[in-house]
């Protein structure tokens, strides 16, 4: 993060960090280089302003059409939904 200041992914309705029992709070997550911020696509979010420098991001969208794992359908997104408030 020494090449820029600011930035990150902000969540409009707040999030709950994995493993936390705290209330949902407005948050900005800012991953280090090579890091990932992962959340269900229907969560309202946006990019926070870069105040200095230059930052590159690579958005990735995953669509799951098959489930060869043997887990119930939607098990990945269901586990992520526990981290965000209900709309």
């Amino acid at each position: 993060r020494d090449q820029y200041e600011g930035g990150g992914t902000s969540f409009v309705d707040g999030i709950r960090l994995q493993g936390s029992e705290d209330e949902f709070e407005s948050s900005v997550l800012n991953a280090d280089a090579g890091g990932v911020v992962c959340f269900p696509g229907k969560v309202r979010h946006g990019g926070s302003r870069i105040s200095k420098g230059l930052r590159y991001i690579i958005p990735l969208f995953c669509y799951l059409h098959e489930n060869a794992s043997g887990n119930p359908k939607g098990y990945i997104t269901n586990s992520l939904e526990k981290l965000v408030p209900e709309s």
Side-chain angles (χ1 to χ4, degrees), residues 26-79:
S26 295
S27 297
V28 175
L29 298 181
N30 199 345
D32 290 329
V36 173
V37 175
C38 180
F39 53 90
K42 65 183 179 180
V43 175
R44 291 181 59 204
H45 64 282
S48 295
R49 183 179 299 273
I50 302 294
S51 57
K52 181 180 178 184
L54 184 64
R55 179 179 187 187
Y56 295 96
I57 62 167
I58 302 173
L60 175 66
F61 300 88
C62 297
Y63 298 95
L64 305 175
H65 295 287
E66 286 188 31
N67 181 0
S69 70
N71 289 309
K73 183 178 179 180
Y75 77 100
I76 292 175
T77 54
N78 289 339
S79 66

Side-chain angles (χ1 to χ4, degrees), residues 3 5 10 15-19 21 23 33-34 41 45 47 50 55 58 61 67 70-71 74-75 80-81:
Q3 297 178 351
E5 291 179 10
S10 58
I15 59 171
R16 178 185 293 149
L17 298 178
Q18 188 169 6
E21 296 298 325
E23 292 295 316
H45 64 282
I50 302 294
R55 179 179 187 187
I58 302 173
F61 300 88
N67 181 0
N71 289 309
Y75 77 100
L80 290 173
E81 288 174 352

